[in-house]
Amino acid sequence: MESKHNFQRPTFTFQLFFKEWIKSRWALLVTLLAFVGIITYTFIGMSTELRVLGAGTVWESIVMKGIIYFDSLKYLFLLAGVLLAVVQYTPEMINKRLKLTLHLPLPERRIVLSMLLYGLLALAVLFLLVYGAVRIGVGRYYPVEITQWNLAAILPWLWGGIAAYLLTAWITIEPAWKQRLCNGLVALCLLRLFYFDELPGAYAPLLPFLITLIVLSVSFSFYSIIRFKEGV
Amino acid sequence: MKQLYTILLILITSLVLSWAIPAVVRMATTTASRYPFVYYSVLLQRFLIRETTADNKLTHVDTDGNPYTREQFDSLTPLFSYRQLMLTNSLPDTIRGVPVDPQELRAKTFTWRYNPRLIHTPALPLYFMYESESGRANLEAPEDVFRLRDRIEFIDKRTNTVNTAKSALFQTALEEAGFAFPAQAVWGNLSAKKPYDIGYFTLDSRRRLFHLKMVHGEPYVRNTHAGDSLDIVHVSLLEVADRSIYGILVARNGTLHSLHTDDGYSLTRFDIPPINPDAHSVMLMANLFYRMVHVTTPDSLTCYVLDAATLRQHDRPYIVHAAANRWYTVARWLFPMYLTFSSRHSDYLQPAFKVQFGWSLVISHLTFFGYLLILRRKRISPRHLPLRLVNATAIILFGVPGLIASLLFR
């Protein structure tokens, strides 16, 4: 009985999640298909290489030159984050519809946090699927060291996608174009930190610092919301 | 709450800009800090310096400033220029009374470079075990790779499975030799393009140095005892033509040692002051008579010349001081503190603050007072005190990046 009762009166948070899902489902599907396409293509390439060139040659070039397979995913994580934030927050900014959302019977902070949380969870699920696919796929052909080498290469890009989502949300919610431009420049500098061309694993000492910046940048959108309410 | 969000924005923007702006200024202002080429003349018994001038001309002088032509330089450095001298039929038969032939000169000539990046780099921990005595002129790529950490395992390239028999053979050999797992480091030359194979040197969990190779399909493991007296941070395997040494060891205390190919793996210490393995680079140029060791620090290049046999100093070192880099001058004025993520001493990215309080701190204080003047008076109220304190901290500590952050978010 209790479960039926909950089903009939779902919490506002879940209603908000559903609203965000309606806005973003097609974008998420497109992103998922793009990841599936590129990963499948990479694995076909990997298998062909081993078949045509032979395991000896391919393993030698990986072990001696540290070659990685997933370069093509580099900016896809970033695009995924930007796209999700755009489809979630642009409709809210058209005709200032965000005002209606903020008038829901929930504290404003909870509303904004729920919207951001939805986006972060959606990206987390998507990126975990990609991470898992790379792990399982590379592990089929190569030992764990080479799998970890490839995973270490994509890890900063993956966090870059999360950062791109939060920063795009911040920029999109900002009501003034001039300030949006300034936010955009700061966001570009921040995102650059995730995309240095370095050896896989080189980011290990830097990632805790970058993740701290990501956590703190959740607050950026609240700054934009306050400015939106002030009618700047 | 807005004030709290503004403070967070200013702090993060200041941090990011304190990396981005100095990085751009550095790109625009940095000047090359190239050192001249210095080589010890066996005939003159002094260092000769070859340098490219600003108008792209090659000059040759000795340590007293006496000029030489390019041809004279070649003649005075036969151990370096022997190929050129052979071309002009002017290679002497004897040097300092020792008969020489080109083959011997080639066999005794090798170079070695050390850079802190060698010990601060992420690496893929898989290796090839070549057959050291295959009887073939060229080394042949093995069918497997091996890992050496908690145990040694050979992985077949075609099937991606562990070769249990071979792994057990090497595991047993390592254990019988007293190797304590897990391995702390493995050094070797992975390339098949080397004159011969000497296998790998590996540190066990007690930081003892073992020699590991494969001879006629069987494991060869020896405790070199080099780790008994040294805390080794790096081993370079050289595969020199005369097979006199395995390579060069770098110890944590900064001493350099050559590891000889005799049965006892004897060590000879290079007679130079200890380097800082985390910050100094070394180039070794070896020839029939000498070992020239060039140590590059952030401030200077010091060239030592050692006797090849004893590794004792043969002559006084020659020092070249680094030319001032324009970037450092600019940075001293503009940025009291800035953030960097990369270092020329490491392949890892790590946040590090560079602090250089001086005139830049005076300028950043003046900048902050200028910032207060352009603020409207109502914003300098007790309510805004926390925000202004953050403005002050950001502008005074970071200079221009802090000012931009404070102007962007008010």
Side-chain angles (χ1 to χ4, degrees), chain B residues 54-71:
Chain B
D55 53 348
N56 218 21
K57 280 184 185 160
L58 212 55
T59 64
H60 303 87
V61 292
D62 63 17
T63 43
D64 290 337
N66 301 313
Y68 299 92
T69 63
R70 188 172 188 170
E71 288 69 29

Side-chain angles (χ1 to χ4, degrees), chain B residues 134-348:
Chain B
S134 65
R136 307 286 308 170
N138 294 322
L139 292 172
E140 286 168 3
E143 291 296 303
D144 47 32
V145 300
F146 74 94
R147 60 167 70 101
L148 176 55
R149 175 74 188 156
D150 298 322
R151 52 188 298 107
I152 186 165
E153 283 182 322
F154 288 82
I155 306 140
D156 190 279
K157 288 181 198 168
R158 280 171 304 168
T159 59
N160 189 24
T161 53
V162 173
N163 180 339
T164 45
K166 191 173 178 182
S167 303
L169 184 70
F170 276 77
Q171 177 75 17
T172 308
L174 280 162
E175 284 169 355
E176 281 176 358
F179 188 89
F181 286 92
Q184 301 294 301
V186 181
W187 294 286
N189 185 354
L190 267 67
S191 172
K193 291 174 186 164
K194 50 188 176 182
Y196 58 96
D197 176 67
I198 48 180
Y200 292 84
F201 283 87
T202 173
L203 277 185
D204 75 351
S205 63
R206 290 157 64 189
R207 299 197 72 76
R208 295 173 305 173
L209 188 74
F210 282 77
H211 185 192
L212 168 67
K213 62 179 177 177
M214 184 165 73
V215 181
H216 303 308
E218 294 293 318
Y220 171 99
V221 188
R222 295 284 184 279
N223 183 353
T224 66
H225 295 287
D228 298 352
S229 53
L230 298 170
D231 182 10
I232 298 161
V233 290
H234 183 71
V235 180
S236 282
L237 275 66
L238 292 179
E239 284 112 10
V240 294
D242 70 353
R243 301 190 182 220
S244 56
I245 59 168
Y246 286 118
I248 294 170
L249 311 186
V250 182
R252 170 52 56 204
N253 65 5
T255 53
L256 307 181
H257 306 259
S258 72
L259 180 62
H260 296 270
T261 49
D262 52 35
D263 284 341
Y265 293 96
S266 63
L267 291 168
T268 308
R269 186 185 158 177
F270 284 75
D271 180 25
I272 61 168
I275 63 159
N276 178 351
D278 296 317
H280 297 167
S281 302
V282 181
M283 182 171 75
L284 167 75
M285 288 182 284
N287 61 36
L288 184 61
F289 293 97
Y290 307 117
R291 301 285 181 263
M292 274 153 285
V293 185
H294 293 190
V295 178
T296 309
T297 70
D299 310 315
S300 62
L301 165 76
T302 307
C303 309
Y304 301 92
V305 57
L306 317 177
D307 280 314
T310 62
L311 298 186
R312 308 293 304 169
Q313 285 200 33
H314 173 78
D315 205 342
R316 279 185 307 166
Y318 177 70
I319 301 170
V320 186
H321 292 285
N325 189 328
R326 202 181 335 143
W327 150 246
Y328 293 113
T329 316
V330 173
R332 267 198 294 275
W333 284 91
L334 283 185
F335 310 111
M337 193 157 100
Y338 64 94
L339 189 58
T340 61
F341 296 111
S342 55
S343 155
R344 60 185 166 146
H345 304 313
S346 172
D347 282 330
Y348 288 103

